Amino acid sequence: MKKNRIFTNIIDQGPVTLKAAQTRGDWGTTQEILSKGSQWIQDQVAQSDLRERSHGGEYVAKKWEKREAAYIVINACSNEPGSGTEKYLLRYEPHKVIEGALLIGAALGAHTCYICIRGEYLQEREILESALEEVREKNLLGQFQIYIHEGAGGTLCGEETALLESLEGRKAMPRVNGDRKLYGCSAVIHGVETVATIPEILRRGAPWFASLGTLHSKGTKLFSLSGHVETPCVVEEEMGVSLKELIETHGGGVKGGWGFFLAVIPGGSSTGFLPKEICNDLCLDFESLERVSSCLGTGGIVVMDKSTDIVRVTARLAQFYQQESCGKCTPCRVGTGWVFQLLERLSVGQGEKEDLDQLQDLLQRMSETSLCAFGGWAAAPVVSLLRYFQPELEHRIHMYNVASKRVKV
Amino acid sequence: MSKAFTQIEQALSKTQRFSFTKESLIQIEKIKRKYPESKPESALLEILLLAQRQNEGWISHPALEAVAVGVNLPVMKVLEVASFYPLLSLKPVGSHCVRICTTTACWLKGSTDLGRACQKWLGIGWEETTVDGMFTLKEVPCLGDCTKAPAVQINETLRGNLNAREMTHLLQALAESVKK
Ligand code: FES
């Protein structure tokens, strides 16, 4: 099983010193790879069909289209509920992250890399810092510079231009022109997991990576299982693994058994809910999730059993998005607030059926007209609530009206 | 009366005055070196965090001014950034900052109970500080340890898998350790 795993130390949770990492195979053939030149690295990554391991799952080769960049920015800023994979990577595989950064830098001819890490991740920052220190001492980086940028984080930093703004010392707000430049120079932004996967691809070769997974989602991916499972954990599995299998073999099953399963968030809150009917035979890869109009996101799976008040969960999420919205554009700033208020009322059934239509309308506007992707992320859980749990909402409204004696049973 | 007054004044001026310590100044130089020379603003966030750590967990106005001098920006610009990020606090906080994650994964595992237990035991609401200035209670989004839900960060350490009883014990232990 371990043979095809990239992040073995997440299973073992052993020491993270340079020596320990080297025995696991990190930094082994880095010089060799570097000597093969940037073109070779780019070709290998293109052949492996590696996709970004967060949000949309963009092809990395497509991100590298321009074939060069001055800066590499690594995003470890997200605080999207449910995504615990990032922290595990920083904690147990810091050397893979650093090595990956170096290799990407070499491939694109960059001179500097910034790893943006949330201010809350103090321990992880220290681990990364000492790992960097060791690497610098051994002079493994050469001319390439890697710095840790301690940011104050926020979901919005998942939006690339907002992350760059924050790195430039301003408020993390998306840019109107969508321009992805750092200090006026070209920059490429990657998630932590994508970066950490690259050294292994180059070591074992693109064909190995491409042999794993499904047609459009190659390789393995980290999944974090949390919520109502017996043993919450972070595991690495091949793409295309079935959700049920993942929950049963690694998560110890749903609390109260599969029959008691209500819904799941497949990859961080911005991917919305999927009810049991869909989950029975759902595979976890980009294309399967796209088919049910969700997405793989960060791989943060949150499982909910039947004891969950799904409307309240959504209301809490709506509140979270309201607080996180940067407030730059109106649809998102005002929309998130309205959605939260509406849901707060609806969670006790206080409302009319028309409110649901209004909510739908509002969500559509939010996801279509806001400046960056954040509006869509904020709308996603509520959209899925309306899609799959409308009867529940209507039932609540009915019950409330009965209780307040406005309609007869 | 006048004695009490001077006492207050002294206390105020003590908390209000701010200058970076020698170590911090070295640190600031180090931070600035990470970014291109023409872009010292990039260091702003980290220096603000540094100032916050040095100033008992919050950024006072003099601290803002000191930071502004450090990065060569107008105070207003610094304030703009400082007021944007929830991690930075512009109000005094207690000596123990308790941050409870209340988003989905933790919410499902009973972070509401934790929050309630804390509020009851401390006698304060969210984002408030106890009268003795010992505890501040904060509601925060995902701390990245959803597998250990419910997650709580007390000062700089992260605790997971807590229930309401354990939480109050923890607070009790903290309060006692301060008294000693
Ligand atoms: S949701 Fe609480 S730590 Fe992630």
Side-chain angles (χ1 to χ4, degrees):
Chain A
M1 259 338 248
K2 243 182 177 180
K3 199 177 96 220
N4 282 335
R5 296 290 170 269
I6 298 173
F7 308 113
T8 47
N9 199 36
I10 286 191
I11 312 170
D12 300 339
Q13 312 207 334
V16 290
T17 52
L18 179 59
K19 233 175 155 189
Q22 273 167 336
T23 55
R24 287 193 292 269
D26 297 345
W27 295 111
T29 46
T30 320
Q31 293 310 323
E32 222 171 282
I33 294 170
L34 287 176
S35 66
K36 286 184 187 165
S38 61
Q39 191 58 43
W40 185 81
I41 300 178
Q42 286 185 11
D43 290 343
Q44 285 289 311
V45 171
Q47 272 169 32
S48 72
D49 266 347
L50 175 67
R51 291 176 77 163
E52 189 68 39
R53 262 100 178 94
S54 54
H55 291 303
E58 230 179 308
Y59 282 95
V60 172
K62 187 145 182 276
K63 276 195 160 178
W64 292 3
E65 228 168 24
K66 293 220 178 81
R67 298 187 165 265
E68 54 184 13
Y71 291 100
I72 310 293
V73 180
I74 301 178
N75 182 6
C77 274
S78 113
N79 64 351
E80 198 181 336
S83 41
T85 52
E86 221 165 61
K87 204 168 184 175
Y88 268 73
L89 271 176
L90 295 172
R91 200 182 296 160
Y92 297 116
E93 295 282 12
H95 280 284
K96 286 220 165 66
V97 179
I98 297 171
E99 198 186 349
L102 173 67
L103 292 172
I104 297 178
L108 299 175
H111 52 77
T112 310
C113 166
Y114 291 110
I115 303 178
C116 299
I117 187 168
R118 271 175 79 187
E120 281 95 337
Y121 291 1
L122 289 155
Q123 221 190 333
E124 286 68 27
R125 188 204 150 123
E126 260 162 47
I127 293 173
L128 200 60
E129 199 113 45
S130 58
L132 258 179
E133 207 49 52
E134 273 183 293
V135 171
R136 276 198 203 116
E137 239 166 60
K138 291 264 151 51
N139 203 13
L140 291 170
L141 292 182
Q143 292 297 311
F144 193 59
Q145 296 290 352
I146 300 181
Y147 297 116
I148 298 172
H149 171 83
E150 193 175 6
T155 310
L156 203 76
C157 289
E159 169 65 32
E160 295 188 348
T161 55
L163 178 71
L164 292 177
E165 281 289 291
S166 139
L167 184 54
E168 285 186 5
R170 286 188 288 269
K171 294 189 277 185
M173 287 182 168
R175 291 175 182 163
V176 182
N177 52 8
D179 154 33
R180 285 183 176 67
K181 279 198 171 135
L182 181 65
Y183 307 129
C185 304
S186 54
V188 166
I189 304 155
H190 284 300
V192 183
E193 201 182 331
T194 322
V195 174
T197 312
I198 283 179
E200 203 67 14
I201 297 179
L202 298 178
R203 253 197 297 277
R204 299 206 207 177
W208 165 77
F209 191 77
S211 72
L212 303 171
T214 64
L215 186 60
H216 294 292
S217 330
K218 304 285 192 226
T220 60
K221 164 104 185 69
L222 283 175
F223 295 100
S224 118
L225 277 171
S226 57
H228 291 141
V229 286
E230 291 293 343
T231 49
C233 57
V234 171
V235 288
E236 187 184 352
E237 263 297 341
E238 240 181 274
M239 286 274 196
V241 60
S242 100
L243 176 70
K244 194 171 173 187
E245 193 191 311
L246 192 76
I247 293 176
E248 245 129 57
T249 49
H250 298 290
V254 180
K255 282 217 167 121
W258 188 257
F260 203 52
F261 176 76
L262 177 72
V264 73
I265 297 179
S269 58
S270 66
T271 56
F273 308 104
L274 293 174
K276 183 170 178 235
E277 309 87 82
I278 291 182
C279 294
N280 281 329
D281 41 31
L282 180 74
C283 290
L284 293 168
D285 51 62
F286 290 108
E287 58 269 33
S288 306
L289 281 161
E290 241 156 65
R291 231 173 284 138
V292 292
S293 27
S294 179
C295 82
L296 191 58
T298 50
I301 300 170
V302 185
V303 179
M304 283 167 266
D305 68 14
K306 289 222 166 98
S307 67
T308 317
D309 182 343
I310 190 111
V311 190
R312 282 237 55 107
V313 172
T314 326
R316 178 66 190 91
L317 268 177
Q319 186 192 8
F320 161 74
Y321 279 112
Q322 183 202 9
Q323 287 161 351
E324 289 293 312
S325 170
C326 76
K328 184 158 181 164
C329 71
T330 319
C332 175
R333 180 184 62 237
V334 181
T336 47
W338 282 349
V339 169
F340 169 54
Q341 282 168 14
L342 262 169
L343 278 175
E344 248 328 70
R345 279 202 288 123
L346 286 173
S347 67
V348 289
Q350 192 184 359
E352 301 294 334
K353 275 221 179 102
E354 288 76 66
D355 286 347
L356 298 183
D357 297 331
Q358 203 188 0
L359 191 58
Q360 190 91 56
D361 185 49
L362 191 61
L363 292 168
Q364 197 180 354
R365 275 166 213 246
M366 245 168 78
S367 38
E368 277 171 11
T369 56
S370 46
L371 187 59
C372 70
F374 189 84
W377 299 342
V382 195
V383 170
S384 64
L385 178 80
L386 285 177
R387 185 180 304 140
Y388 300 116
F389 297 95
Q390 182 128 2
E392 165 74 32
L393 282 167
E394 280 169 7
H395 175 71
R396 280 188 196 201
I397 294 173
H398 181 70
M399 291 311 277
Y400 181 85
N401 284 344
V402 169
S404 59
K405 306 235 165 41
R406 274 197 269 161
V407 280
K408 291 209 185 80
V409 187
Chain B
M1 191 215 62
S2 69
K3 196 175 160 211
F5 191 73
T6 37
Q7 253 173 13
I8 291 174
E9 210 168 39
Q10 261 170 10
L12 257 183
S13 60
K14 219 201 282 150
T15 53
Q16 290 285 302
R17 211 171 298 142
F18 181 91
S19 61
F20 281 112
T21 57
K22 238 195 217 131
E23 295 85 60
S24 300
L25 284 174
I26 298 171
Q27 196 72 30
I28 289 176
E29 279 315 305
K30 246 202 214 150
I31 293 172
K32 275 207 219 159
R33 238 176 287 141
K34 295 197 286 191
Y35 308 99
E37 233 166 275
S38 56
K39 307 280 178 193
E41 323 72 278
S42 275
L44 178 55
L45 255 175
E46 270 186 69
I47 297 179
L48 276 170
L49 282 167
L50 194 73
Q52 173 160 304
R53 274 178 209 140
Q54 200 198 306
N55 195 40
E56 292 161 359
W58 71 293
I59 301 171
S60 58
H61 194 79
L64 276 181
E65 276 167 5
V67 174
V69 172
V71 286
N72 211 353
L73 278 176
V75 184
M76 210 51 215
K77 270 254 150 53
V78 179
L79 180 63
E80 190 187 351
V81 171
S83 59
F84 182 80
Y85 294 97
L87 189 60
L88 302 167
S89 169
L90 293 171
K91 275 195 318 213
V93 294
S95 41
H96 295 291
C97 194
V98 181
R99 299 160 188 269
I100 303 183
C101 166
T102 57
T103 42
T104 322
C106 295
W107 189 88
L108 291 171
K109 291 299 214 45
S111 66
T112 324
D113 292 344
L114 278 191
R116 236 179 260 140
C118 287
Q119 287 179 340
K120 201 168 140 226
W121 198 84
L122 297 169
I124 52 172
W126 292 122
E127 315 297 323
E128 282 175 13
T129 306
T130 47
V131 200
D132 57 2
M134 196 117 87
F135 289 99
T136 299
L137 192 59
K138 282 195 176 182
E139 194 180 19
V140 294
C142 187
L143 289 166
D145 255 322
C146 317
T147 49
K148 296 205 193 101
V152 177
Q153 194 181 26
I154 301 173
N155 297 333
E156 322 238 296
T157 44
L158 206 123
R159 305 289 298 251
N161 296 327
L162 290 169
N163 61 28
R165 232 198 37 244
E166 286 163 342
M167 186 73 219
T168 34
H169 280 318
L170 231 117
L171 291 179
Q172 225 153 17
L174 270 177
E176 268 156 32
S177 72
V178 173
K179 263 187 214 133
K180 268 181 214 157

